[in-house]
Each structure stands twice: as C-alpha cells, then as structure tokens.
Amino acid sequence: MSVGAAPRPRAGAVVVASWRRALNEVLRVRGALLPATIAPVIFMLGMTGQFSRLTDLEGFPTDSYLAWIVPLSCLQGAGFAGAATGSNLARDIEQGLFDRLLVAPVPRAVLLLGPILGAVTRCLVPATAVLAVGLLLGAEFTGGVLGVLALYGASIGFCAAAALWGIFLALTFRTQQAGPLMQQGVFLAVFLSTAYTPEALLRGWLAGAARYNPVTHVLELSRQATVSGLEPSLANTLPGVAALVGLILVLGGLALFGLWRIGR
Amino acid sequence: MSLAPGSPPAVEAHALVREYKGGIRAVDGLDLQVAAGEIYGFLGPNGAGKTTVVRILTTLLRPTSGDALVGGRSVVRDGDAVRRLIGVALQEAAIDPLMTGRELLRMQGALHGLRSKQARERGQNLLERVGLTEAGDRRVGGYSGGMRRRLDLALALVHRPQVLFLDEPTTGLDPTSRAALWREVRALNDEGTTVFLTTQYLEEAEQLADRVGIIARGRLVVEGSPTALKAQVGPPTIHVELADAEGAQRARSALRGLGALEPAGAGGDIHVQLRTTAGKAAIAPVIRALDEHGVQVESVEVQMPSLDDVFMAVTGATLEGASSNDGSPSSGDHVGEAVPASRAPEATTAR
Ligand SMILES: Nc1ncnc2c1ncn2[C@@H]1O[C@H](COP(=O)(O)OP(=O)(O)O)[C@@H](O)[C@H]1O
Ligand SMILES: [Mg+2]
C-alpha cells in the first residue's frame, strides 16, 4: 500500500462539516431550541407589558414600546445563541473532542468557522420568532425591506461577536463552568446600552456607558426595522456596521489568541 | 532494533521536557527513536508521563524544551506537516455522541482532505474493517466501550497515516475486544504503518511491541526488544516447591551444581529457586537431582523473567498497579545483581 502525506484538506469542506455538526446541537437534541426561542419572546412580552407607557416621555422616538423592544429581543436571542457556541466548545474541550480536530492538518482558525456559522444559523430561529410575535402583537415594519435586512444583519453580526466571546472564554477556561460568564457578558453588553430607553433619557454613568458601548450602535442599526423615528439610512447604518466590525475584530483577535495558547 | 538504511526514524525525541503549570515535570529529558515500520510499546505506570509524551508528539502540547521529529518534521516548528503524517487515537476515545459512526468517518475524511466520494468509500471500508458495518448508522452515544474504541481507531486511519499513535488503546476493554484490537494493530503494522502505542499492560507490550521503552517519572529508564530486555534481567528461574520444609537443606545442596541458587526467602523453607540459562531444559535434571537426594517435591515451575522484572530491576518498584508517585524502594535482600525473578511466590514478594 502506498503511504504518503495525506492530501491537504480543503477549508470549505471542513467548514461545512463542522457547521453541520454544530447544527446537530439543535436538530438532534430534542427541545434544545425551545428555551433559546421562548426566553427572548417572554422577555419581550414582559418588558412591553411593564414599560409600554415609557414612550410618553419626551425624547422617545416612537410611541410603541413594543416596536422599541422587538429589535432588542432579537439581538438578545441572537447573542445567547452565539454564546452557546462557547459552552459547546468548552464541552468539546473537556471531553477531548476538540483534540480530534486539533490533530487534523487544518489551520486552527478554520476549525472555529463552522461552529460560528452554526450559531449564526441557529440564531435565525429566535430572531424570527421574536419578530413574528412582535408583528402579531402590532409592531410594524416601519423600515420596510431595508429595515428587516438591517435587523437580521445586526442579529447575525451580534451572534457572531457573542460566539467569538464565548470561544475566547472556552479556550481560556476549558471548562463548561465558564458558561454563565459567556451568557452574562452578552447580557451586560446589551444592558449597558440604549436597550430600554434612548440615550437622551439615560442619566449619569449609564448614559456614558451607553454612549461608548458599541452595542448601542448595533441596536440603532437593528431598530431601523420597527422604530418609526429611525428610518433606514446610511447615517443610522454605518455606526452599527462599524461597531460590529470592531467587535468582531477585537473578539476574533481574542479567540485567535486563545487558539494560539493551546498546548503552551 | 534496526533502522532501515536510508529511511529516517519515524519518531525521534531529543531531550524532551514538559513542565506543567505548578512545576510538575511530567516529561523530564526524554530521548527516544522509533524506526519506520516498527511497533513501539511505551510502557509505564499511571502518571509516568505517557500521555504527555503522546500529546507532544502529536502536536497537541508544546514541549517546555527539547524537540521531537515525526517523519523527520519538527513537532514544534512544522506542526502542520506532522499532522499530515499521523493518525491519533487518544486515551478517552472522545467521539460526538450525536453523530453516527458513518457521519464521523465522513467528517474525519473532510478534516484530512478526502473528497466526499473518497471519504464515503473509505468510511465504508473502515466500518467493515473494525466490524461496525451494522452499527455504522447508529448514533455513537449508544455504542459500547469496545465499539467506541474500534470506531476511534477507524477514525485515526481515515487518511492512511504513516505513523499511528495509540494512547492506552485497550485500557478498560474486555479480553475479547482487546484481542481484536491487537489483531488490528498487527495487521496495520504489516501494511507498513509505524505504531507508537502506550500501555500500562505488560502483556500488551510483550505481545505487540517490536521494541519497548519503559518510562517512569518522565524518564525513559530502559529500552529494547522484550526478549532482549528480559534477557538483560537474567536467566529464567526454576521454582521448586517442596512437600515439607525438612527437605530444604538437602534440596539446596542437590541443586547447587545446576545453577545459581536464590537466597532462601523469608516466607518459609518450602520454596527453593534456581536461576539457570537452561530454562525448561533444566527441569528434568532438577527433578532427578532432587530425587537422588530423596527430596519430596510438590511442584516445579519455570518462570521466565517478565517485563515487570525489568521494570523492577531499573526502578525498584513493580509496574502493575504501581503509580509513579508511590516510589517505594525495594527491600534490601534482592537489590544489586540479583533481581527477583518472580512475582508469584509469597516468599519473595513479602515486601
Ligand atoms: N494538564 C495537566 N496539568 C498538570 N499536571 C498534569 C497535567 N496532565 C498531566 N499532569 C501530570 O503529569 C504527570 C504525567 O501525566 P500523564 O502524562 O497523564 O501520565 P500517564 O499518561 O503515563 O498516566 C502526572 O503526574 C500528572 O498528574
Ligand atoms: Mg495516560
């Protein structure tokens, strides 16, 4: 028999294979999608029920709090779907599954693409569910097709950023016990933004945090879908896109650093 | 051992050191060479550093200092090239429970550059080879331990690696599964695959390995073919059990001319041990001599030195069941040139 060096793997095939594997996390675990989908919907309903009259305040760009909250819940659902990538990776590391990937002659960064793509795919489910329930309850697509595109773009980008964050923590702590930290990072990033009220109504350090928090811009981007005061425009889009690119670059750098440290 | 002329060693390690955080020196200046086409058995008790060495050789772990070459490529500087040459089955046989055996093989094919048609065919062949054709479409979560190990081996073979690393491939397996795996390893080796195998089982090393390296506390303490290593320890021992203690004195004088008598053990006088290169051929003369001296014999047994004796000779501890940190020095009476050749009789193992 001939023994020679194996052929060089094709990155595309590796990404597709690991993407399919990442989808198993929801397709083959019964009920796995339910909590991730229901939580942001419930959150949206709760917030709308309690704070619907906030829109009466001077400086609120819309008179529908539901319209204000729908994009936020979409992002939250997407963010948590992304962070789950970190928990899954931590489990793979703990159980030794990741070693199998690491001994393949594949550039390590390529190994992360499939799981990130998987998260992005999964995140469409909660985002769409939130949107559907929001529409049923009376939210409107004030931004038309462009607005919806912006909302999905923001969700996908935020999911990818959250996935990189989770991956960084997984590679650093190598234990599923880091799971809560992954989720809380996403929660805090959203909380310290203009999640619940516009910046004009925030006071003190919260206002400062929201101003410098890139997630604020990602939210603005997504709100072009349903908030009547935020029409789709380049001015409302570019800061959000820049924020996402920045987040992905920084968190991606951290994830690559985590990969580099493996085995050292 | 002999390195095939012209072909570089499949594996070589030079002054390999790995310190974990916290200062544990798991590998402590290891040098070794594995010839292409060899089955190398890396034998050592729990915690000796076997897995750490395998992880370094398979590029999963960086050495703190030193280097190792696999197929002539440095695991430190040329990890990607090494990964294209090797197949690895790690100790835990970690496989995704949500996937079927066939799916895992296909994914492994993608990871190693097989086209999807190739990967499908190769997967089918390997499933047949390891006897998992029927289970191939079931999720791995439902596989038994033996089935997982077999699948793990198949996964390691997808890309026909030149060098196969197996970390304790049979630990925890029942005897049937173990024998099946041994057969498979031999067959692979016959096809030209170099095998680097770690084990805590003496029998496994003896059965499979062309050469054995014994590791204790991160150091290679001895290396050679099982036969050579055992010969190094000394000749076989003839173990005589007497019917009663009264004959002991007469037995010892009867046997004096036939080989080297072991000093009388602490465990009673009904055991007499004689070391002789004649081995089995000495049984008849021994019985005759004892008979001539009127000694009543209960049993006569030839004991070949085992790898455990080799381990004992070089480290002063027994291998089986020993963990590297119990470090009990051997008791006084047998240290030195005379190495205890048997584990069985109570007389010599009363330590
Ligand atoms: N990740 C780790 N961190 C710290 N110490 C470790 C780690 N892995 C192994 N060790 C220690 O290194 C030594 C060798 O371990 P190992 O290579 O697993 O031995 P073996 O495979 O022969 O049982 C042991 O003392 C073990 O406790
Ligand atoms: Mg081990």
Side-chain angles (χ1 to χ4, degrees):
Chain A
M1 102 181 222
S2 72
V3 278
R8 204 165 273 290
R10 288 164 307 152
V14 173
V15 172
V16 169
S18 48
W19 170 67
R20 280 164 67 162
R21 178 173 175 242
L23 291 185
N24 287 345
E25 309 276 3
V26 291
L27 295 180
R28 296 192 180 179
V29 182
R30 202 164 295 154
L33 260 179
L34 247 92
T37 306
I38 289 178
V41 171
I42 303 246
F43 173 84
M44 173 179 73
L45 297 177
M47 292 301 288
T48 311
Q50 287 182 47
F51 299 117
S52 59
R53 298 205 43 226
L54 274 182
T55 48
D56 296 347
L57 291 172
E58 189 81 31
F60 229 102
T62 170
D63 56 8
S64 158
Y65 196 72
L66 179 66
W68 183 253
I69 277 301
V70 163
L72 165 67
S73 294
C74 286
L75 281 195
Q76 262 183 340
F80 289 134
T85 309
S87 307
N88 295 341
L89 177 60
R91 178 207 57 209
D92 284 357
I93 291 175
E94 268 184 335
Q95 298 180 350
L97 286 160
F98 197 51
D99 288 338
R100 186 186 299 292
L101 306 181
L102 289 176
V103 293
V106 176
R108 289 180 168 180
V110 172
L111 297 176
L112 300 182
L113 292 179
I116 295 172
L117 268 184
V120 164
T121 315
R122 294 193 308 250
C123 92
L124 297 177
V125 176
T128 305
V130 166
L131 202 56
V133 174
L135 288 182
L136 276 178
L137 295 180
E140 285 171 30
F141 282 139
T142 56
V145 176
L146 284 181
V148 174
L149 278 180
L151 174 63
Y152 274 101
S155 300
I156 285 172
F158 189 60
C159 173
L164 289 168
W165 161 251
I167 286 170
F168 167 62
L169 292 182
L171 291 171
T172 302
F173 295 107
R174 294 158 204 217
T175 160
Q176 291 182 74
Q177 286 168 355
L181 203 57
M182 299 167 191
Q183 304 281 351
Q184 277 154 25
V186 172
F187 179 80
L188 264 185
V190 172
F191 181 74
L192 297 176
S193 70
T194 53
Y196 310 105
T197 48
E199 199 186 314
L201 295 177
L202 286 170
R203 290 287 171 269
W205 69 273
L206 271 177
R211 176 166 312 136
Y212 294 108
N213 185 349
V215 178
T216 294
H217 301 296
V218 181
L219 268 166
E220 303 276 287
L221 173 66
S222 67
R223 279 180 172 144
Q224 296 175 79
T226 54
V227 176
S228 52
L230 275 167
E231 308 305 335
S233 71
L234 221 51
N236 285 334
T237 303
L238 283 183
V241 171
L244 281 174
V245 170
L247 276 173
I248 287 174
L249 284 180
V250 170
L251 295 168
L254 286 176
L256 289 180
F257 172 67
L259 275 182
W260 175 83
R261 281 188 33 194
I262 286 181
R264 275 170 211 266
Chain B
M1 62 165 281
S2 69
L3 303 183
S7 71
V11 181
E12 42 187 326
H14 302 294
L16 212 55
V17 171
R18 172 69 200 200
E19 254 172 44
Y20 285 113
K21 290 189 197 81
I24 301 168
R25 224 174 157 82
V27 179
D28 190 10
L30 186 90
D31 291 282
L32 60 78
Q33 282 205 357
V34 178
E38 206 174 29
I39 300 185
Y40 187 85
F42 203 42
L43 180 67
N46 241 329
K50 301 183 295 296
T51 297
T52 305
V53 171
V54 169
R55 293 183 72 86
I56 292 174
L57 295 178
T58 55
T59 76
L60 286 170
L61 200 63
R62 293 212 151 211
T64 308
S65 65
D67 197 1
L69 307 180
V70 177
R73 306 303 195 100
S74 158
V75 296
V76 177
R77 278 169 287 115
D78 208 0
D80 202 57
V82 170
R83 287 189 281 271
R84 291 173 67 198
L85 300 174
I86 61 173
V88 186
L90 291 170
Q91 202 167 343
E92 311 88 12
I95 27 191
D96 185 345
L98 292 179
M99 293 173 77
T100 70
R102 201 180 296 278
E103 287 171 338
L104 273 161
L105 281 160
R106 228 186 290 164
M107 178 162 122
Q108 188 81 353
L111 282 165
H112 287 91
L114 271 63
R115 304 271 153 170
S116 71
K117 179 163 172 280
Q118 259 180 319
R120 250 198 316 277
E121 286 168 8
R122 181 80 181 135
Q124 180 59 33
N125 288 343
L126 285 169
L127 283 174
E128 277 164 29
R129 177 156 196 172
V130 299
L132 288 174
T133 314
E134 265 152 50
D137 292 313
R138 294 213 318 259
R139 291 207 194 152
V140 172
Y143 282 20
S144 71
M147 290 163 81
R148 277 162 184 261
R149 283 294 170 87
R150 266 143 55 204
L151 178 61
D152 200 29
L153 180 66
L155 288 168
L157 297 177
V158 160
H159 53 298
R160 304 179 200 271
Q162 288 180 21
V163 186
L164 181 63
F165 290 89
L166 303 173
D167 194 9
E168 300 202 20
T170 65
T171 298
L173 288 192
D174 59 88
T176 321
S177 309
R178 178 172 299 174
L181 210 122
W182 286 356
R183 271 198 303 280
E184 201 48 55
V185 170
R186 279 194 205 101
L188 282 164
N189 183 246
D190 288 343
E191 292 162 19
T193 312
T194 306
V195 180
F196 186 103
L197 160 133
T198 81
T199 181
Q200 338 180 15
Y201 300 125
L202 298 159
E203 200 197 345
E204 189 155 290
E206 296 212 41
Q207 289 278 328
L208 280 181
D210 299 316
R211 265 184 336 124
V212 172
I214 296 185
I215 181 177
R217 289 170 227 206
R219 288 169 173 278
L220 194 70
V221 288
V222 65
E223 197 182 39
S225 74
T227 324
L229 286 180
K230 289 184 292 190
Q232 220 172 299
V233 174
T237 304
I238 308 230
H239 180 89
V240 181
E241 192 181 339
L242 306 173
D244 53 64
E246 277 145 47
Q249 210 42 53
R250 265 176 296 141
R252 297 184 73 82
S253 54
L255 298 180
R256 196 146 285 147
L258 293 173
L261 278 170
E262 289 280 317
D269 285 322
I270 62 163
H271 300 282
V272 177
Q273 289 177 69
L274 179 77
R275 289 170 152 279
T276 164
T277 44
K280 280 184 189 139
I283 293 182
V286 161
I287 291 178
R288 226 176 292 127
L290 290 171
D291 194 42
E292 278 164 15
H293 284 71
V295 181
Q296 297 276 320
V297 175
E298 192 68 32
S299 70
V300 176
E301 211 176 282
V302 182
Q303 243 154 10
M304 305 299 290
S306 69
L307 284 178
D308 201 25
D309 300 323
V310 176
F311 187 76
M312 167 86 80
V314 289
T315 67
T318 62
L319 177 60
E320 289 202 327
S323 86
S324 74
N325 35 5
D326 77 28
S328 60
S330 66
S331 58
D333 42 1
H334 295 309
V335 194
E337 96 301 29
V339 170
S342 78
R343 292 168 276 155
E346 313 79 274
T348 54
T349 51
R351 66 190 62 238

